[in-house]
Amino acid sequence: MPDENLLLWKSVNLCHNQYSFLVEGVGFFDGTFGPSVRLVSDAESVQAMCSSGDSEFFTVTKVYLISPPWMNRQNERLMEPLAEIRLQSSDKQPPIYEFVTMAGQTYTSAPQPNPN
């Protein structure tokens, strides 16, 4: 991998308590059509990209959930490929989503009480 791609990842800043998504696909980057990756912080944007794309990101090939410790009940962030995003409740602000990984694990966007 060229060094300039590695430097890009050194600049990514994730909010400690918030989930996010890494979206892979095909689109335009610096005027060139080809593989593209985008870091997205909300489920609505991911769903819009998957259903209709946008002017710079035409096709989505894979979406990863980057889950914080409170969501995945681990002591670290996890990055897992997603199979599905489900709207659980639109009555609340922000809306509550369920994220189903390719491995079958289901996470919710609403913080859950700690079982301890």
Side-chain angles (χ1 to χ4, degrees), residues 37-90:
V37 178
R38 191 177 294 172
L39 186 65
V40 180
S41 61
D42 62 283
E44 295 91 357
S45 295
V46 172
Q47 290 179 313
M49 290 170 70
C50 289
S51 65
S52 61
D54 64 31
S55 62
E56 296 178 357
F57 208 88
F58 295 110
T59 304
V60 173
T61 56
K62 196 169 233 177
V63 177
Y64 297 89
L65 172 66
I66 303 172
S67 60
W70 66 263
M71 181 183 274
N72 62 42
R73 303 282 186 219
Q74 305 289 320
N75 290 328
E76 61 189 1
R77 288 188 167 276
L78 296 178
M79 186 166 116
E80 301 172 84
L82 272 182
E84 185 177 6
I85 297 175
R86 300 177 188 153
L87 179 61
Q88 188 69 14
S89 171
S90 59

Side-chain angles (χ1 to χ4, degrees), residues 5 13 18 27 35-37 53 56 64 73-74 90 93 96 102:
N5 291 340
N13 186 13
Q18 191 173 8
S36 190
V37 178
E56 296 178 357
Y64 297 89
R73 303 282 186 219
Q74 305 289 320
S90 59
Q93 279 303 328
I96 298 173
M102 295 290 230

Side-chain angles (χ1 to χ4, degrees), residues 4-17:
E4 62 269 11
N5 291 340
L6 295 175
L7 292 175
L8 172 68
W9 286 107
K10 290 180 181 179
S11 68
V12 172
N13 186 13
L14 298 174
C15 179
H16 179 70
N17 292 321

